[in-house]
Amino acid sequence: MKYVLEFLQFRLIVFLMILIVLSGAGVVITYGSSLTWLAIAGGIVLFGLIEYVVHRYIMHEFPRLLPSAYEGHVAHHQHPNDDRYLFGSVWYEVVTYPLLLLLFWALTGELHLAVSVVFGTVICQMYYQWKHFVSHRPIVPLTPWGKWLKKKHLLHHYLDEHAWYGVSNPVMDVVMGTNKVAPDAKAAKRSPGSSTESM
């Protein structure tokens, strides 16, 4: 319970909880489509893609795309257990979610389906944030799945920063071939784009 309370104190998590309540209420209030569950599932799949693309390309491979986010991620790799660097800025989400809502409203022509996509995405993001938090806190996951995810994320930090970009699921790593540590990887604490530093 101690770590759950710790997790709930972060601004990003508070924002995501508010967004879950608002988008969930929006799904119920605007309900009127047989495609609701498909739209929610679409939001979940969308977050899986976003998670991989942002982590691999913005946080590791192309630092000029979003320099402040990249610098925050470098700090996270340099200090992986420091809770100041566990979560990104809430402002990225404050901007991104309204844009996501407007994009899917324009694409589907239905507010209900757009809100459903947002609901699926934010639920999946909360799951991601919890899995990332657990990976960096002295928490033993309860399930074999949770233990495996934590192990793979720690391999990303301490063995090969070019593998295991998926924190909450391995699907995109398998698809993109980043689900294996390079044979020449050496146990090291690295920061994205930097040379290897010994632990």
Side-chain angles (χ1 to χ4, degrees):
M1 191 61 168
K2 165 188 169 185
Y3 291 112
V4 171
L5 293 175
E6 181 184 335
F7 177 72
L8 295 175
Q9 76 175 341
F10 292 94
R11 283 188 303 174
L12 176 60
I13 302 309
V14 172
F15 175 78
L16 293 177
M17 286 191 305
I18 291 168
L19 196 53
I20 286 170
V21 170
L22 292 176
S23 61
V27 169
V28 172
I29 291 166
T30 64
Y31 183 76
S33 173
S34 59
L35 300 176
T36 302
W37 289 107
L38 188 60
I40 292 171
I44 291 169
V45 170
L46 176 65
F47 183 80
L49 294 171
I50 291 169
E51 173 187 349
Y52 184 87
V53 167
V54 168
H55 191 183
R56 179 175 180 177
Y57 297 109
I58 294 177
M59 305 298 189
H60 282 269
E61 294 188 13
F62 300 108
R64 291 183 189 169
L65 289 175
L66 208 51
S68 60
Y70 173 81
E71 289 165 14
H73 197 65
V74 168
H76 173 56
H77 269 259
Q78 290 171 339
H79 311 283
N81 298 320
D82 189 330
D83 64 12
R84 290 175 298 171
Y85 308 114
L86 278 181
F87 302 97
S89 170
V90 70
W91 294 110
Y92 295 125
E93 313 310 325
V94 168
V95 170
T96 302
Y97 275 103
L99 291 175
L100 187 67
L101 177 68
L102 292 173
L103 173 66
F104 279 94
W105 194 356
L107 287 174
T108 65
E110 290 188 41
L111 177 60
H112 171 71
L113 293 179
V115 171
S116 298
V117 170
V118 168
F119 181 67
T121 305
V122 73
I123 287 286
C124 203
Q125 185 178 4
M126 184 64 90
Y127 170 74
Y128 159 86
Q129 296 294 351
W130 174 250
K131 288 300 178 189
H132 188 237
F133 178 78
V134 166
S135 293
H136 292 286
R137 305 302 289 147
I139 301 169
V140 177
L142 298 175
T143 66
W145 171 251
K147 289 174 184 170
W148 185 82
L149 283 176
K150 180 168 183 167
K151 175 185 173 183
K152 296 305 178 185
H153 186 59
L154 294 179
L155 286 175
H156 169 77
H157 272 274
Y158 294 107
L159 190 54
D160 186 354
E161 71 181 25
H162 302 292
W164 297 112
Y165 295 105
V167 175
S168 67
N169 75 81
V171 173
M172 288 301 297
D173 281 305
V174 171
V175 169
M176 300 298 286
T178 52
N179 61 326
K180 304 174 208 60
V181 170
D184 60 345
K186 294 184 175 140
K189 183 177 180 182
R190 303 178 186 185
S191 59
S194 74
S195 58
T196 303
E197 302 168 22
S198 58
M199 288 176 71

